[in-house]
């Protein structure tokens, strides 16, 4: 079956409109994701370009050329804004609409408006800049490991490359004056590129939103909501894996002394602040490879991979002294200390056994006067 260019343009317009509607429906289910709304509006606006080309000659040129292309350039700016929103960066609506605004000003100039080459080169350059920078924005956020991120970068990068290629092609083979766009081979190419880009971007962006939601759920399931450190289950799993891959390690168990009194005297808000402050202090003093988790209540644990006995003891003493020295000017009567039990692992020790030994050492520290460090019997560890 033969499809004439006008039919191809109408199909492209309808498909782009459907993609935009799909984005908007997805946004209604996740209102916190402004990126979905921006991408939806962008595709709904972008559907006007193929329709404008298909109706060339049947509607005023001012609408089919100036208005429809301005709307499409604004759509590319909104796609770029959606990517920035997804990556947690400020949305610059002024920059997103700058390409369309400059296009409208240029169309007031007869020499520009009457030149097909100038219009193609400018529109292609703007689309390439927005698409290319959107690809860069996605790439900058690669520290957040999402499976579809590379696909998104590739999709936007190829789209930008297509428009960049169109610029020298137009310069080398300028379209004849007063060319009917429906007779140009670029029309069919644009149709397929628009269709592929819209569909690929829709699937990729929605996959990114879904992957981020799943990742946040996994993090929430493994993170203590108050302090932001690993919860007991996540810490135990990570510690067991670390013990299997490191010959030496040290497990530190912390118990904040007389923490119930802090809650009773100063209130639970102050108690929560003490817990969060303790985790922040530990995270700032320990090496990056250290694993910190909350076991429950005022009890915490830390695994130091490859730590020697002397290093583990030095780290524990530093933490104990620093925490005891913390003071809040607004609460001069607040005094906080911590007791620490240390157990040393050798040659793939079992995590549960290591926990029991560290807990025994912590018991010694607590019943020996609190605010001190105790080390489990090394002979027992052997």
């Amino acid at each position: 079956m033969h499809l004439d260019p006008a039919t191809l343009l109408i199909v492209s317009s309808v498909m782009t409109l459907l993609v935009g509607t799909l984005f908007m429906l997805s946004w209604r289910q996740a209102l916190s994701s402004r990126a979905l709304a921006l991408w939806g509006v962008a595709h709904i606006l972008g559907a006007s370009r193929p329709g404008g080309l298909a109706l060339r000659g049947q509607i005023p040129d001012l609408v089919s050329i100036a208005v429809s292309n301005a709307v499409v350039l604004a759509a590319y700016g909104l796609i770029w804004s959606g990517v920035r929103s997804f990556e947690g960066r400020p949305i610059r609506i002024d920059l997103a609409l700058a390409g369309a605004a400059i296009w409208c000003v240029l169309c007031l100039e007869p020499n520009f408006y009457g030149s097909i080459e100038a219009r193609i080169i400018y529109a292609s350059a703007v689309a390439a800049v927005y698409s290319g920078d959107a690809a860069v924005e996605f790439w900058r956020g690669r520290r957040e490991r999402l499976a579809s991120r590379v696909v998104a970068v590739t999709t936007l990068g190829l789209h930008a490359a297509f428009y960049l290629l169109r610029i020298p092609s137009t310069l080398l083979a300028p379209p004849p004056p007063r060319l009917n766009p429906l007779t140009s081979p670029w029309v069919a190419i644009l149709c397929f590129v628009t269709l592929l880009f819209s569909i690929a971007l829709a699937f990729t962006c929605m996959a990114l939103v879904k992957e981020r939601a799943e990742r946040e759920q996994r993090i929430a399931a493994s993170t203590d909501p108050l302090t932001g450190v690993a919860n007991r289950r996540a810490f135990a799993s990570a510690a067991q894996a670390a013990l299997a891959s490191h010959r030496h390690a040290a497990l530190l168990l912390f118990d904040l002394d007389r923490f119930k009194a802090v809650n009773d005297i100063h209130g639970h808000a102050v108690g929560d602040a003490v817990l969060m402050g303790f985790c922040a202090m530990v995270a700032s003093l320990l090496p990056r490879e250290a694993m910190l988790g909350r076991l429950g209540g005022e009890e915490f644990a830390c695994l130091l991979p490859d730590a020697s006995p002397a290093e583990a003891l030095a780290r524990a003493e530093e933490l104990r002294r620093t925490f005891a020295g913390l003071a809040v000017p607004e609460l001069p009567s607040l005094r906080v200390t911590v007791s620490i039990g240390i157990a040393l692992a050798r040659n793939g020790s079992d995590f549960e056994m290591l926990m029991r030994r560290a807990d025994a050492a912590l018991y010694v520290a607590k019943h020996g006067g609190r605010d001190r460090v105790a080390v489990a019997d090394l002979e027992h560890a052997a």
Side-chain angles (χ1 to χ4, degrees):
M1 179 178 65
H2 175 72
L3 293 178
D4 63 329
T7 303
L8 288 173
L9 288 168
I10 295 296
V11 170
S12 177
S13 179
V14 171
M15 287 297 299
T16 305
L17 182 62
L18 289 176
V19 168
T21 304
L22 183 61
F23 270 121
M24 297 304 293
L25 292 175
S26 299
W27 172 64
R28 289 297 300 272
Q29 298 176 354
L31 293 176
S32 61
S33 178
R34 290 190 297 174
L36 288 173
L38 290 168
W39 291 328
V41 173
H43 280 77
I44 291 174
L45 292 177
S48 65
R49 183 182 190 182
L53 283 173
L55 297 175
R56 181 72 63 84
Q58 303 178 41
I59 59 176
D61 285 351
L62 179 64
V63 176
S64 64
I65 295 176
V67 175
S68 65
N69 280 284
V71 171
V72 169
L73 294 179
Y76 276 106
L78 291 177
I79 291 175
W80 170 75
S81 298
V83 175
R84 286 181 61 87
S85 175
F86 180 82
E87 295 298 338
R89 300 187 180 94
I91 299 176
R92 296 292 305 274
I93 295 297
D94 54 340
L95 294 180
L97 300 180
I102 296 173
W103 166 270
C104 292
V105 173
L106 290 175
C107 284
L108 298 176
E109 171 59 41
N111 291 331
F112 176 84
Y113 186 74
S115 172
I116 298 178
E117 298 96 320
R119 297 201 307 265
I120 291 175
I121 290 172
Y122 176 80
S124 299
V126 172
V129 168
Y130 282 132
S131 299
D133 196 64
V136 172
E137 292 286 352
F138 269 139
W139 181 250
R140 286 175 59 190
R142 63 188 180 277
R143 291 187 62 182
E144 181 189 20
R145 296 185 179 277
L146 301 176
S148 300
R149 186 178 294 277
V150 174
V151 180
V153 172
T154 303
T155 299
L156 288 163
L158 289 176
H159 199 63
F162 167 78
Y163 276 108
L164 288 176
L165 178 63
R166 196 180 179 204
I167 295 175
S169 300
T170 300
L171 293 173
L172 294 174
R178 301 183 181 278
L179 171 70
N180 182 351
L182 297 183
T183 63
S184 171
W186 276 101
V187 171
I189 297 174
L190 281 172
C191 285
F192 286 111
V193 169
T194 301
L195 278 173
L196 291 175
F197 175 68
S198 298
I199 295 173
L201 190 65
F203 277 103
T204 303
C205 290
M206 289 181 186
L208 284 170
V209 173
K210 180 182 178 182
E211 289 164 9
R212 170 174 286 175
E214 292 174 348
R215 180 175 181 272
E216 290 174 348
Q217 290 175 358
R218 289 195 301 270
I219 292 175
S222 61
T223 303
D224 176 62
L226 176 63
T227 61
V229 301
N231 59 24
R232 187 185 189 101
R233 182 178 61 180
F235 174 78
S237 177
Q240 185 64 63
L243 289 173
S245 58
H246 293 80
R247 293 187 59 190
H248 308 287
L251 178 65
L252 280 61
L253 287 190
F254 307 93
D255 188 284
L256 275 58
D257 299 325
R258 300 185 176 89
F259 184 73
K260 184 178 183 301
V262 174
N263 281 331
D264 293 341
I265 297 173
H266 301 283
H268 288 277
V270 173
D272 290 345
V274 169
L275 295 176
M276 290 186 288
F278 174 78
C279 290
M281 179 209 70
V282 172
S284 66
L285 294 178
L286 290 179
R288 291 183 58 183
E289 64 271 14
M291 303 174 189
L292 178 65
R294 184 182 182 188
L295 304 182
E298 67 274 19
E299 296 183 353
F300 298 86
C302 173
L303 187 74
L304 296 174
D306 298 323
S308 65
E311 179 185 358
L313 183 59
R315 295 280 188 186
E317 287 289 353
E318 180 185 21
L319 293 172
R320 183 194 62 78
R321 289 194 304 270
T322 303
F323 190 61
L326 294 180
V328 180
E330 295 79 6
L331 299 172
S333 62
L334 178 64
R335 291 290 181 267
V336 288
T337 59
V338 61
S339 299
I340 306 174
I342 302 176
L344 301 173
R346 292 292 181 269
N347 299 325
S349 300
D350 178 71
F351 174 72
E352 293 299 331
M353 176 62 72
L354 196 64
M355 280 284 291
R356 286 194 291 270
R357 292 179 47 245
D359 191 56
L362 179 61
Y363 179 86
V364 172
K366 296 287 286 187
H367 289 267
R370 297 185 176 89
D371 188 23
R372 63 186 60 205
V373 178
V375 183
D377 182 9
L378 295 180
E379 294 182 1
H380 178 68

